Amino acid sequence: MSDQNDRAPEGKDLVAPLMSRRQAVKWGALGTVGLAAAGTACVQRGGPLAAGDTLKGGLAPGHGSHHDMMAVGELRRDSFDPTAFLTRFDYGRESTLPSGQTLREYDMEATEFELEVVPGVFFPAWGYNGQVPGPTIRCTEGDRLRVHFTNSGTHPHTIHFHGFHPANMDGAFEVVAPGRSYTYEFDAAPFGLHLYHCHTVPLKRHIHKGLYGAFIIDPKEGRPPARELVMVMNAFDTNFDGENEIYAVNSVAFHYQKHPIELRLGEPVRAYVVNLTEFDPINSFHLHGNFYRLYRTGTNLTHHEFTDNVMLCQGERAILEFTYDHEGPFLFHAHQSEFAELGWTGMFVVRGPAVG
Amino acid sequence: MADAAGVSRPDRTRTWLAALLPLVALLVFLLLFLRFGPAGVFTGSFPPVEELTITRVTLPDRGVLRVHAVNGGPAPVTVAQVLVDDASWVHTVDGSRTIGRLESREITIPYPWVEGEPVVVRLVTSTGLTFDKEVAVAVRTPAPDARYLTTFALLGLYAGVVPVFIGLLWFPFLRNLSQRWIEFFLSLTAGLLLFLGVDALAEAVELSALVPTAFQGLGLVLLGLVGTPLVLAAVGRRRRGGGSASPVYVAMLVALAIGLHNLGEGLAIGAAYASGEIALGSFLVIGFLLHNTTEGLAILAPLTKSRVTLGLLAVLGLLAGVPTIIGAWIGGFTYSPGWTALFFAIGAGAIVQVLVELARLFPGDEKGSIAAPLNVTGFLAGMLIMYLTGLLVTA
């Protein structure tokens, strides 16, 4: 590593000699939002970094004092918007059953469409309701869920919800042919962070193409108020060779690095992180400048661990709670460098507390 | 032909019309096919098959990679992203990201490559297909300055020119041989050349696989392989007006064929050197040196009974050796698999013609036939020499 950095272009890159490869990810990110100059100053002086006054301006790619590990270009305007997806929860159509139980009804449709997974690269996706990941289904423990599923694709599909339900509501065996519908009905349990996905064979293809989403069952007593974010870790094998070319959170490589998520100083944050990466057995979530309380599967109200890095197997998920006490840009990314460098990298920008 | 000269003007117009009519009919048919034909069945529902060939990756400076890509496929290809060593990298394209058929682009990537280590460049197209190229050993690509021109010239001199001249020192020895042994050495020459020819052809075919499909690498090889002996034969017939070839002419031909082969060899040396691979061993140069010394012998074999001046020997040596230098220059600075395949094929084709001419130098009677035991031994020995010295080249 040091060998590589010793040979970095002289006089061109002030930060390079100080950087490890992982740090390159960080400074690459900073440069993208125009923080490169400040970043350099920070490294040189070791001083604090204020986000507010450094987000203006910016340096042209290739001229900043950072490495240029990044996708180029911008998404098309009509593309899936990962920023909007972060905070969008689908509570369904709410009504009350004669028994007093809350009924939530959802419409889910499997369709085929082109998904822009990184600017300019279009993946032939299958997804629920025209998006990957599908809508984040949210309800409260004990609610009756009724999911009207229509298969508008050209292949058979199902929805397999993780959680408690009768055998015929499992989505494993009652395959829904193209043009057909099926209604899943069950009571939401146990509380926690779950997932749903198509359970039609071949599984690898049906899941990897995008038929999945997050499924949140809130505990009856609720969780403390917080800024809530949904983060589904996924990846795309764009050339179908059994290995992923693109890694992301919420489908678009480097999206939250190009469009950082803004947080407030002292604000409680809760991230619902689900691993739906196909072809790689594990993925991970590493947070910079902070630690989080880790609730595995979210089924317990006391946290399991206080950490800055969690490893999740395919289908595993965790709720992460944290609060930033420092302003400025903070990266989050897979701690597998390869995943990070192929797109699974994002950034929080922490600003001062809201006025008034 | 004589009749045609006497044909009057109106008739000539008719001839022209008769020639054009099928062309017009073809054009009309083509338009009808494109408009109403069944080809539409195959298009539309599938994305077009994309094809992009990375012909070369150069490392013009520290921290910079430059990718040369050619679209040899049927449809335009849009390069959306670039991955280097499994990481996304910013880059610039000299022109539109969409590369039309037979168009090429240069993509420049600011990448901190590590000297001596491999780099893999991967282009990701808009449909998610990927096209890769590995630089086996990263070294800064030489710019065509005086220092590198000299280096390549010396390399060509060591590997090509000097060995050929050393081979020519066998002349006094060959001069004193009996007819029997002269034929032995002619056979030896034929064996050497056949081996070189097959070697060149194999190289050409191998390289043709790297040529963008639209440029039909194998077609280039065929053109070189068949075209060269035909052209040489036609030239030779003109020169001697139908009689048998003079020994000097055959020697010239041998030198030319070897020269063409060495041009290809030079291209390979230059390209390998430029991409850092040859830097791993000067052993390669030693191999070529021994290998090419025998080529001098091959040039001399037809001349044993002729009057030979030092000037002629010099010309023959230069003809055979200098192309190595030229090849090294071309290969070092503008290496392209297509040109290299073509040069190798031309070399192989020239050797075909040389073998034909050599065969004519044998008297053809019972004692002097190619199949005489001594001549067969010579032929096999020639191939064996090439095989053994070739072992040194394939480092």
Side-chain angles (χ1 to χ4, degrees), chain B residues 38-317:
Chain B
V41 172
F42 303 109
T43 57
S45 49
F46 311 110
V49 179
E50 294 183 334
E51 205 195 293
L52 205 58
T53 306
I54 301 177
T55 48
R56 201 174 182 215
V57 177
T58 54
L59 292 71
D61 218 331
R62 287 193 158 198
V64 181
L65 287 175
R66 193 160 291 143
V67 179
H68 306 253
V70 178
N71 177 2
V77 176
T78 303
V79 175
Q81 299 293 339
V82 171
L83 311 182
V84 187
D85 291 340
D86 275 336
S88 239
W89 282 88
V90 296
H91 56 274
T92 51
V93 184
D94 69 329
S96 163
R97 288 189 169 274
T98 301
I99 310 175
R101 176 171 162 80
L102 299 186
E103 281 182 358
S104 62
R105 293 284 187 281
E106 267 187 16
I107 298 164
T108 307
I109 312 159
Y111 186 78
W113 51 269
V114 180
E115 193 158 310
E117 292 181 9
V119 185
V120 181
V121 174
R122 167 171 275 199
L123 306 182
V124 185
T125 75
S126 56
T127 64
L129 283 186
T130 53
F131 297 93
D132 297 4
K133 180 88 173 179
E134 183 181 358
V135 176
V137 183
V139 288
R140 194 165 155 177
T141 308
D145 59 15
R147 185 177 149 234
Y148 278 105
L149 280 172
T150 316
T151 306
F152 283 135
L154 281 176
L155 216 55
L157 204 67
Y158 292 144
V161 183
V162 174
V164 169
F165 276 102
I166 290 175
L168 292 180
L169 294 177
W170 265 304
F171 191 62
F173 161 73
L174 287 173
R175 199 81 174 178
N176 297 322
L177 288 176
S178 66
Q179 175 65 25
R180 233 174 117 234
W181 283 100
I182 284 169
E183 280 170 22
F184 169 81
F185 278 104
L186 281 174
S187 308
L188 186 93
T189 298
L192 295 174
L193 286 171
L194 183 68
F195 195 95
L196 280 186
V198 171
D199 180 58
L201 188 61
E203 286 283 346
V205 171
E206 199 177 303
L207 284 167
S208 71
L210 304 177
V211 176
T213 317
F215 293 108
Q216 305 162 75
L218 269 181
L220 288 176
V221 174
L222 189 69
L223 278 174
L225 184 65
V226 177
T228 310
L230 288 176
V231 169
L232 288 176
V235 171
R237 172 168 296 195
R238 223 176 169 162
R239 254 179 68 106
R240 62 179 182 256
S244 88
S246 79
V248 173
Y249 172 69
V250 175
M252 283 282 208
L253 209 53
V254 173
L256 177 69
I258 286 172
L260 285 168
H261 177 270
N262 285 353
L263 179 74
E265 234 167 47
L267 281 168
I269 293 175
Y273 187 81
S275 59
E277 288 171 59
I278 208 171
L280 298 174
S282 53
F283 196 56
L284 260 179
V285 179
I286 297 172
F288 276 123
L289 202 147
L290 290 174
H291 195 69
N292 290 354
T293 306
T294 52
E295 292 173 353
L297 187 65
I299 297 167
L300 293 173
L303 291 175
T304 45
K305 286 189 180 157
S306 312
R307 220 176 65 82
V308 173
T309 61
L310 269 180
L312 177 67
L313 282 182
V315 167
L316 289 171

Side-chain angles (χ1 to χ4, degrees), chain A residues 230-248:
Chain A
V230 181
M231 296 190 171
V232 177
M233 301 193 287
N234 54 358
F236 299 92
D237 171 16
T238 65
N239 61 3
F240 298 97
D241 65 349
E243 283 181 32
N244 296 310
E245 277 70 42
I246 304 290
Y247 290 83

Side-chain angles (χ1 to χ4, degrees), chain A residues 133-214:
Chain A
T136 302
I137 304 288
R138 190 157 185 182
C139 59
T140 304
E141 184 185 13
D143 289 349
R144 170 62 55 90
L145 302 190
R146 194 174 287 160
V147 181
H148 305 282
F149 172 57
T150 305
N151 182 359
S152 300
T154 57
H155 291 258
H157 297 305
T158 65
I159 310 177
H160 163 64
F161 286 92
H162 285 217
F164 301 162
H165 49 244
N168 64 341
M169 294 294 145
D170 189 60
F173 304 121
E174 57 292 340
V175 172
V176 184
R180 306 301 288 270
S181 296
Y182 193 85
T183 300
Y184 300 94
E185 189 165 334
F186 53 90
D187 291 339
F191 77 76
L193 170 59
H194 311 308
L195 59 148
Y196 65 86
H197 58 86
C198 180
H199 215 297
T200 313
V201 291
L203 279 175
K204 273 203 297 292
R205 167 112 350 156
H206 281 252
I207 294 175
H208 159 245
K209 277 200 159 251
L211 290 160
Y212 50 74

